[in-house]
Amino acid sequence: MEEKRRAKRMTMDATLRLNQVETTKDTSGLRKEPFMVDVLNVSTSGIAFKCKEDLKIDTYYDIHVV
């Protein structure tokens, strides 16, 4: 399969702590306390991770490397 992404992705084994950033958008039902996610890979254009939490589109999070 041909890679079509512009930025090369690098596999990474790490854990991040996410904190939801308060915005003016409706964030009802989202978890307010920090939670952990497992990083799959990173690039200059983003981070791929997996988590058990429900994340909504157009919400923002502070990321802390653990």
Side-chain angles (χ1 to χ4, degrees):
M1 178 180 238
E2 181 184 345
E3 180 63 57
K4 296 184 179 183
R5 294 181 178 123
R6 291 182 195 166
K8 181 176 175 158
R9 304 200 62 79
M10 183 173 64
T11 303
M12 180 179 225
D13 183 23
T15 302
L16 301 177
R17 184 178 69 219
L18 272 61
N19 293 319
Q20 180 187 339
V21 176
E22 295 294 328
T23 63
T24 57
K25 295 184 181 263
D26 177 26
T27 56
S28 59
L30 292 180
R31 185 173 175 156
K32 300 297 182 196
E33 62 272 3
F35 58 95
M36 306 304 279
V37 300
D38 295 320
V39 177
L40 301 175
N41 58 54
V42 296
S43 75
T44 56
S45 61
I47 301 172
F49 60 87
K50 63 181 177 177
C51 69
K52 296 178 181 178
E53 303 298 322
D54 290 331
L55 305 178
K56 291 185 179 179
I57 295 174
D58 291 332
T59 55
Y60 299 92
Y61 297 87
D62 282 328
I63 297 175
H64 301 271
V65 179
V66 178

